[in-house]
Amino acid sequence: MKWLASILIFYLILFGFSLQTYQTQTSNPVVTDAAKLLPTRIKEIKPSTPATNLQAIITDANLNGDKISIAGMQHSQGGHTYYPNGIMLDMRGYNKILNFNPKEKTITVQSGVTWGDIQEKINPYGLAIKVMQSQNIFTVGGSISVNAHGRDIRNGSLIDTIQSMRLMKADGSIVTISKNEHPELFSLVVGGYGLFGVILDITLELTDDELYEIRTKTIDYKEYTDYFYNEIADSHVVKMHLGRISVAPDTFLREMYVTDYLLAENQSQSPEYSELKGDDVIALPKFLLGLSRYSDWGKNVFWDTQQMYMERLNGSLETRNNVMRSQSTFMEYEHSKKTETLQEYFVPVEHFAAYIDDLREVLKNEDFNLINITLRYVEQNEHAVLSYAKDDMFALVLLINQGKSEQEIHKTGEVIRKMIDVTLKHGGSYYLPYYPYPTDEQLKEAYPRINEFFQLKKQYDPNQLFMNLFYEEYKQ
């Protein structure tokens, strides 16, 4: 019987360790986001499920004086999803598809549903999403909170594809919001970083899952604005578009390639096209991307390889759903002392060449590890209070490899503030989901309605129930 007692004691010890680990993870855990630059100790993580009583969580937080932050996949990189000693409401489990109407081309989902979940549901019906980021891993609620945009050049920002949403406000009441119903609140919640309430569910407009022919071309950066106006802007067949500009030393901010997605003449889709794709072989691009992180030679090789790969795609066919399932696995990066952060700048289309010249001038003498710049087009759209598209803009998404130390963060911040100054000089703006490197003055210039946003935050949430580090940084 001694052996039985020993086993029992062993399992009790194991259970004790498991319980202790669980309690450590759920009580006063240290959390961070994708950039891992703002680790913060919070009070508690509250996971959500379709059965979670969110209203009770709001009521209890109000009674206890707690603060609530709202999290999805946590790819916003500036502490938008947590707050010191606050409650993080993890919405990923709140992920039911509530209604799908193929005839009306609409779908209603809970906010924790990912874009990939929606694609799996609607793809068999020949339908696709209008606007989302280039990857489908994000939650719908998170995408709405940053007012995402993507490769589609005919449907600019996510805000214009939302029919309506249900929102739980700071007092626990639930209200339906849209462009026509409580429009002011709607314009604050979209691109509002979870500061005005908990998005419960959303009805989205869908579109047809068209078949596209891929067209690629290498051009000089000075040709890009004319190329866009002459070949893209007024074309009835070009539906999606993106570009990349070189960060390789041999062609730095001079050479670029563009990828256009043209409506294929024959729209009948064989199964080989309509089946949703997964990640292909990622070993080679992951290896080359790794080389580009640590050497100029690697950056040159990676750029040349990217160009050759894109040339091979010229003339191939791909469905809209699959274009919107970009591979991202090869970009995953773990390092004890370094991380990879994003910045995104928006510049008016006609300023592009002059802007790139000024950007190159800033960066040529900086020790700044720029890994990639992707370009997209965003049509003017000021429906959100914090609109980034004050004009028809090219969006430049920068991937940066940087250190995690205070010294490295400070050094990166100095360069980024210089780049933002150049962006503002050309009438541009920058995207808010990233690390809070910009100054208060830069924020006010890029977002002229930011004081209005903060004032309305206090009006709709007078006790500041919904909080995050982004708001804490800039609210004054």
Side-chain angles (χ1 to χ4, degrees):
M1 294 298 290
K2 288 184 179 180
W3 64 269
L4 184 59
S6 299
I7 292 175
L8 183 60
I9 291 170
F10 172 77
Y11 277 109
L12 284 172
I13 293 171
L14 187 62
F15 175 77
F17 277 123
S18 299
L19 183 61
Q20 185 180 17
T21 301
Y22 173 77
Q23 289 173 335
T24 301
Q25 290 174 341
T26 57
S27 179
N28 297 112
V30 174
V31 299
T32 188
D33 48 36
K36 300 181 176 63
L37 293 178
L38 287 167
T40 300
R41 187 170 296 280
I42 66 171
K43 180 178 181 179
E44 187 179 4
I45 299 173
K46 284 191 177 289
S48 64
T49 70
T52 300
N53 190 340
L54 297 172
Q55 217 157 21
I57 294 174
I58 299 296
T59 301
D60 289 345
N62 277 311
L63 289 173
N64 298 328
D66 290 325
K67 304 300 182 184
I68 289 181
S69 302
I70 305 163
M73 293 298 183
Q74 291 192 272
H75 277 259
S76 293
Q77 299 180 355
H80 301 73
T81 58
Y82 47 90
Y83 187 72
N85 202 36
I87 294 170
M88 177 195 286
L89 189 56
D90 182 352
M91 296 298 292
R92 289 176 296 175
Y94 204 73
N95 57 1
K96 274 189 175 181
I97 293 176
L98 301 175
N99 185 50
F100 172 43
N101 190 327
K103 184 177 180 181
E104 297 295 328
K105 297 182 183 178
T106 61
I107 191 166
T108 303
V109 300
Q110 291 180 326
S111 58
V113 162
T114 68
W115 295 106
D117 295 333
I118 295 178
Q119 288 184 319
E120 295 285 350
K121 179 71 175 180
I122 67 178
N123 188 67
Y125 295 85
L127 294 175
I129 295 159
K130 280 189 173 181
V131 175
M132 55 177 265
Q133 295 103 314
S134 291
Q135 283 83 37
N136 66 356
I137 62 172
F138 307 110
T139 64
V140 175
S143 297
I144 289 171
S145 295
V146 302
N147 192 20
H149 66 94
R151 298 183 181 187
D152 189 295
I153 59 174
R154 309 302 173 192
N155 299 286
S157 302
L158 183 55
I159 190 169
D160 284 340
T161 72
I162 303 168
Q163 280 197 355
S164 64
M165 296 184 284
R166 287 196 316 136
L167 181 79
M168 185 175 293
K169 298 195 296 181
D171 61 2
S173 63
I174 298 173
V175 61
T176 299
I177 60 175
S178 68
K179 291 177 191 172
N180 301 315
E181 197 170 0
H182 301 289
E184 181 181 72
L185 188 53
F186 180 77
S187 70
L188 291 162
V189 171
V190 183
Y193 301 94
L195 291 169
F196 289 84
V198 183
I199 300 171
L200 300 177
D201 45 66
I202 311 102
T203 299
L204 294 162
E205 298 172 357
L206 303 173
T207 190
D208 294 326
D209 185 26
E210 301 165 326
L211 187 64
Y212 298 143
E213 180 180 345
I214 298 174
R215 178 179 70 188
T216 67
K217 184 178 182 180
T218 299
I219 61 174
D220 185 271
Y221 76 103
K222 291 180 180 178
E223 304 171 10
Y224 187 39
T225 294
D226 285 343
Y227 176 85
F228 186 83
Y229 281 138
N230 296 332
E231 302 290 335
I232 306 298
D234 295 327
S235 171
H236 297 297
V237 296
V238 180
K239 300 294 186 176
M240 291 189 177
H241 168 82
L242 64 84
R244 281 196 172 87
I245 188 165
S246 172
V247 297
D250 290 352
T251 52
F252 186 67
L253 296 187
R254 295 185 184 279
E255 193 172 77
M256 58 181 296
Y257 66 81
V258 294
T259 305
D260 307 320
Y261 298 88
L262 286 65
L263 195 65
E265 290 186 14
N266 183 3
Q267 284 297 303
S268 59
Q269 296 183 27
S270 64
E272 66 176 299
Y273 297 127
S274 59
E275 184 177 346
L276 292 176
K277 69 178 183 181
D279 276 353
D280 295 332
V281 177
I282 64 168
L284 181 58
K286 190 175 182 70
F287 172 73
L288 293 173
L289 181 60
L291 287 179
S292 74
R293 291 183 176 111
Y294 301 111
S295 71
D296 287 348
W297 174 81
K299 284 182 169 61
N300 286 323
V301 171
F302 188 47
W303 175 251
D304 292 341
T305 305
Q306 281 181 301
Q307 284 187 294
M308 288 189 291
Y309 174 76
M310 294 311 300
E311 287 172 4
R312 287 175 50 199
L313 293 180
N314 210 24
S316 61
L317 299 175
E318 195 159 27
T319 64
R320 180 185 183 90
N321 273 329
N322 279 324
V323 170
M324 299 170 90
R325 290 174 72 84
S326 275
Q327 296 181 17
S328 58
T329 308
F330 78 94
M331 298 178 67
E332 293 175 356
Y333 177 68
E334 291 291 337
H335 194 284
S336 60
K337 295 182 179 179
K338 292 182 178 292
T339 187
E340 290 190 339
T341 58
L342 292 170
Q343 286 283 298
E344 184 166 356
Y345 306 134
F346 303 89
V347 63
V349 171
E350 63 272 17
H351 282 247
F352 179 75
Y355 172 70
I356 291 297
D357 286 336
D358 286 348
L359 200 61
R360 189 187 313 107
E361 192 67 22
V362 165
L363 293 175
K364 68 179 184 181
N365 296 319
E366 298 287 352
D367 179 19
F368 191 68
N369 197 4
L370 191 54
I371 303 299
N372 183 70
I373 302 180
T374 301
L375 295 103
R376 304 188 186 101
Y377 168 76
V378 183
E379 189 176 44
Q380 180 181 9
N381 188 315
E382 298 190 71
H383 295 152
V385 171
L386 295 186
S387 172
Y388 45 76
K390 298 173 288 187
D391 202 339
D392 291 347
M393 303 275 203
F394 285 137
L396 292 86
V397 184
L398 285 67
L399 180 65
I400 302 155
N401 185 276
Q402 68 166 90
K404 297 178 183 177
S405 69
E406 287 188 22
Q407 181 181 359
E408 289 292 323
I409 291 171
H410 177 75
K411 185 175 73 173
T412 301
E414 287 184 331
V415 179
I416 283 175
R417 284 186 286 274
K418 291 177 185 178
M419 291 195 292
I420 291 175
D421 280 340
V422 170
T423 305
L424 296 173
K425 169 189 168 184
H426 287 275
S429 61
Y430 64 90
Y431 207 16
L432 295 174
Y434 304 123
Y435 193 86
Y437 287 119
T439 65
D440 290 350
E441 291 72 22
Q442 288 174 327
L443 174 64
K444 290 173 183 175
E445 187 171 349
Y447 291 88
R449 299 179 69 185
I450 188 66
N451 285 337
E452 175 190 353
F453 178 86
F454 290 151
Q455 289 165 6
L456 289 169
K457 160 68 175 171
K458 293 175 183 177
Q459 176 183 318
Y460 282 102
D461 184 9
N463 295 323
Q464 311 284 278
L465 174 71
F466 298 109
M467 291 290 288
N468 58 35
L469 288 177
F470 163 75
Y471 180 65
E472 184 72 15
E473 175 74 23
Y474 290 110
K475 68 180 179 180
Q476 301 301 331

